[in-house]
Each structure stands twice: as structure tokens, then as C-alpha cells.
Amino acid sequence: MKFPNVVLKLLFLLSIICSHISCKEDPVDPPQPSTIQLAFEDASCTETWLKVTLTDGNEPRTITITRDGQTVLTARMTANDTTLIDTSLLPKRSYTYLAVRLNNNSPVDTSPPLQVTTMDTT
């Protein structure tokens, strides 16, 4: 009669272990809001004005701005926001900008992509 008791005990232990493993879930952290924002302010035929905002006062404050995947500016921001002018653009053309926050030349946060279209010449 010892055999059924051993089997029952093993089944009981196995069910406890399985239920403990299967019920355990890793908590999912909600996505953190970006600490760097990029906004369109204005455009002409060959220039565009962009506003860069850091939504916190924390370091690092080094940023880079890319246009269509190419870096057009790397700078250290001393204020929480600033307006940048990108020049030498072509008329009636769309560009995609990103603002990236850097720490030791490595990206730590990125703004959502911003699509900007310059005006036509007529």
C-alpha cells in the first residue's frame, strides 16, 4: 500500500511545482514617455524650423538631429528647449527628422520621427 501513497505524494508535489511555474508572469513595464521631443514650427522653400524639447532636467543633455538618416547636428543643450533651423533644403521635398539623446555617443532616447515638407517655389 505504500506505492499508491508515494505516487499520490509525487503527483501532489508535481502539481504544486507546475502551478507555481505556470502562474508566475514577468511584470510588463509600461512604455516610458520619450524625454526628447521634436516638433515642426515652420518651413520655407529651402529651410525648416524645428523645436527640440527635453522633457526633464536630467543628464545627459547631448543631442543629435538626423535628416533622412544622416546626422545634421550634434550639440549639448543648455536649455530645456531650442529652435533649430535646417538650411540648404530642396523645394517641395519631404524630409524625416529624428532627435536622439546621447550618452557617451550612444543613443539613450529617441523622439518619434517627424516628417517635414518644404514649400514649392511658386
Side-chain angles (χ1 to χ4, degrees), residues 4-122:
N5 281 339
V6 171
V7 170
L8 285 176
K9 287 179 183 179
L10 284 175
L11 286 174
F12 179 72
L13 286 173
L14 185 61
S15 68
I16 290 174
I17 291 171
C18 289
S19 67
H20 178 68
I21 292 172
S22 67
C23 292
K24 196 172 193 174
E25 292 182 18
D26 290 333
V28 177
D29 293 330
Q32 297 296 316
S34 181
T35 62
I36 186 167
Q37 298 294 322
L38 187 62
F40 171 78
E41 289 206 334
D42 201 4
S44 69
C45 296
T46 59
E47 299 174 330
T48 188
W49 287 259
L50 305 170
K51 183 175 183 178
V52 181
T53 304
L54 298 178
T55 60
D56 64 12
N58 300 334
E59 293 290 336
R61 297 182 70 82
T62 302
I63 65 159
T64 187
I65 305 296
T66 65
R67 177 190 346 113
D68 295 336
Q70 300 295 317
T71 300
V72 293
L73 172 74
T74 299
R76 178 163 169 74
M77 288 186 60
T78 57
N80 284 344
D81 61 27
T82 191
T83 299
L84 307 170
I85 303 171
D86 189 12
T87 60
S88 302
L89 303 177
L90 298 174
K92 198 177 178 185
R93 174 139 181 224
S94 292
Y95 298 94
T96 301
Y97 289 91
L98 281 176
V100 181
R101 201 167 189 168
L102 301 174
N103 187 14
N104 295 324
N105 294 325
S106 296
V108 292
D109 203 358
T110 303
S111 71
L114 176 67
Q115 182 104 22
V116 173
T117 302
T118 53
M119 297 175 65
D120 198 355
T121 54
T122 56

